[in-house]
Structures are given as structure tokens and as C-alpha cells.
Amino acid sequence: LILTMAGCAAPAKQRLEEQLSVRHQLLVLDNQPFPLLAAVARNPKASPHLRVYIEGDGRAWITPGQPSLDPTPSGDWFALLALSDPQPAAWLARPCQYIRNASCHIGLWTDARFSPEVLVALDQALDMLKQRYGSKQLELIGYSGGAALALLLAARRDDVSAVQSLAGNLSPRLWAAQQRFSPLHGSLEPLDYRQRLQKLPQRHLVGMQDRNVPANLAERWQQYLGDSSCIEIEQLAGLDHYNGWTDAWRARRGMTPTCSSP
């Protein structure tokens, strides 16, 4: 199920691979129809609890009206942040990031970035990572659009103990309306699974200077979800969508969200 990367890597994969420590490696998870790139411990110790960091949307658009031909992120900071976590952790890329095949099409990183086919690919990948680490429970940590996918995955699985997000797009529907974008046709919406998510421990870190995913989206998510006992929102001054997250997360990653007493 899991194939170690071999041969000449594409530039973005090679760039990332060169930044890994000797304790980590890149793997291609042989999902069909979308193989996914993951970064994992080279010799993982069995752990009942695994953190999986889900990558953001990457370079989905070149301009507001022109989609990118390659959604691979321009930087690798989120993958490296995952691998610096002292807890057992893995990083997971999105379909068609770093790896392209004949099944890739522009919709997968634009309107259909949260589609059922994307969710199925990530769902399969989580099963593979659990098997590699011998884990029973998952904690999902999503950056940007990776947060919506973390919530959607948690809504369909019974092994996700918590979800955390950094600059997270928690509701693509609310986000698109707030930003005056066209609806993401073909994408799923986490709010449609609110009953499954109300009792899921969550912590969402938002940047007060974030114009891509405005800070008040997390508050609206909490209001629409209808139960705040399991949701913690922390607003961070001076952070925008891209800058400051490495230090902010390293200062907070030792905490896992829980539900407060009613």
C-alpha cells in the first residue's frame, strides 16, 4: 500500500526531501486514483495516538480569475512543522500536490477542492498512516482549507479524537459568501454534518490580520454549529494567512482540545 519514493523526484518533492532530517522520509501513499505524498518518521514507534497534519490549498489560483496548473504549495513550512512535533505525527498532502497523474484536473484544487473524491482519497490515506504507526486514534490538524477537510473527515470517521486548525477555512460555504466568491460547486460543507461535529473537541487558531480567511469566520462557525462547549477559538494578533504560524503553533502544540462541562 505504501511505496517509498525512488528515482528522480520532481523539483518540489526534491526540495522538500532535502529539508527532512535523517529521522523522516517522504512516502507515496498508493491511493487510487490519486496517489498522495506523506512525510513520516523513518522508523516509527507504535503509538496509540497519531497527529496528522493536512496541507492547505496550496497554489490553487495564480490570479483571482486564473487557476493554477499545479496546486503544490510554494513553501514547505507546514510539512516541516508537522515533523518537528514531539508527538507522533505525519504530514499529508492533498490530491495532485507534488504528484500529478492522469486523474488530476483543475477542479480538484478549485471548486471541487472539498469534493467527495478528495475526501475519499484522504480517508484512505489516514487508514494507511494508522497502520504504519499502529495507531487507534487520530488528531487532525488542518491549515487553511485543510481544516475543512479535517472536519469532513472527522464527521465520517469514528477514530478522530480532536481537530485543530491554523488559519482554517472551517466553512467553505460561509467563507465564499463572506469573501464574495462564487460558491464552490462540487465541494462538501462541514456545517451539513453539524450534529456529528458538535461534540468533537476542536481548537481553532485564527490570525487577526488574515484577509484570506478572516478571523470572524471561526466565530460564525461556532455560532452555526450551535454548541460551544467543545470549541475553543484563539485569536492571534499580528498573524496573517501565511506568516507567524510556526512560532505560534510551537508555543501551543502541547495542548489538545477537550469538551468543557455543560
Side-chain angles (χ1 to χ4, degrees):
L1 294 176
I2 302 178
L3 306 176
T4 303
M5 287 183 57
C8 295
K13 290 187 290 187
Q14 185 173 0
R15 177 195 69 206
L16 176 56
E17 193 168 33
E18 289 173 350
Q19 298 181 77
L20 300 184
S21 72
V22 295
R23 297 182 295 108
H24 298 100
Q25 64 177 336
L26 296 182
L27 297 178
V28 176
L29 306 181
D30 193 24
N31 288 353
Q32 296 300 324
F34 308 114
L36 297 179
L37 189 66
V40 298
R42 190 174 295 275
N43 298 301
K45 297 180 180 179
S47 172
H49 183 272
L50 176 66
R51 278 183 163 176
V52 179
Y53 289 67
I54 300 175
E55 184 58 69
D57 295 337
R59 197 180 185 205
W61 295 84
I62 296 175
T63 68
Q66 181 181 0
S68 170
L69 297 179
D70 181 358
T72 299
S74 58
D76 306 316
W77 68 269
F78 191 64
L80 299 176
L81 190 63
L83 300 182
S84 70
D85 196 322
Q87 300 187 44
W91 164 83
L92 184 59
R94 305 263 290 274
C96 305
Q97 293 179 347
Y98 299 91
I99 300 172
R100 300 291 302 278
N101 67 8
S103 297
C104 290
H105 58 86
I106 287 175
L108 288 171
W109 54 90
T110 55
D111 281 358
R113 68 185 78 173
F114 311 119
S115 64
E117 57 185 330
V118 168
L119 200 63
V120 167
L122 294 171
D123 199 27
Q124 294 173 355
L126 292 182
D127 288 338
M128 295 180 188
L129 292 173
K130 277 183 65 179
Q131 182 179 11
R132 178 177 178 82
Y133 282 83
S135 302
K136 301 297 183 183
Q137 292 288 315
L138 298 171
E139 180 183 348
L140 304 182
I141 300 168
Y143 167 63
S144 190
L149 288 167
L151 291 165
L152 289 167
L153 287 163
R156 67 183 285 156
R157 299 178 67 99
D158 60 5
D159 56 359
V160 177
S161 61
V163 166
Q164 301 201 60
S165 72
L166 287 65
N169 183 352
L170 308 178
S171 170
R173 181 186 299 153
L174 296 178
W175 170 78
Q178 182 174 355
Q179 298 292 79
R180 298 184 178 179
F181 296 153
S182 300
L184 299 183
H185 297 295
S187 284
L188 299 172
E189 167 57 48
L191 280 177
D192 292 340
Y193 306 90
R194 58 170 61 87
Q195 291 184 337
R196 288 273 295 172
L197 296 172
Q198 280 178 340
K199 298 301 182 182
L200 175 72
Q202 304 171 41
R203 182 167 63 130
H204 304 299
L205 307 181
V206 300
M208 296 303 292
Q209 306 304 316
D210 192 340
R211 295 184 177 181
N212 296 64
V213 181
N216 66 350
L217 182 67
E219 296 177 349
R220 297 183 67 199
W221 162 259
Q222 187 176 46
Q223 293 169 0
Y224 274 84
L225 210 59
D227 186 344
S228 61
S229 63
C230 294
I231 302 175
E232 177 186 349
I233 298 172
E234 185 173 354
Q235 299 178 339
L236 304 178
L239 271 65
D240 59 21
H241 198 64
Y242 305 103
N243 299 299
W245 289 106
T246 295
D247 290 340
W249 176 247
R250 284 179 174 170
R252 294 164 176 81
R253 65 189 176 188
M255 298 178 285
T256 298
T258 59
C259 293
S260 60
S261 300

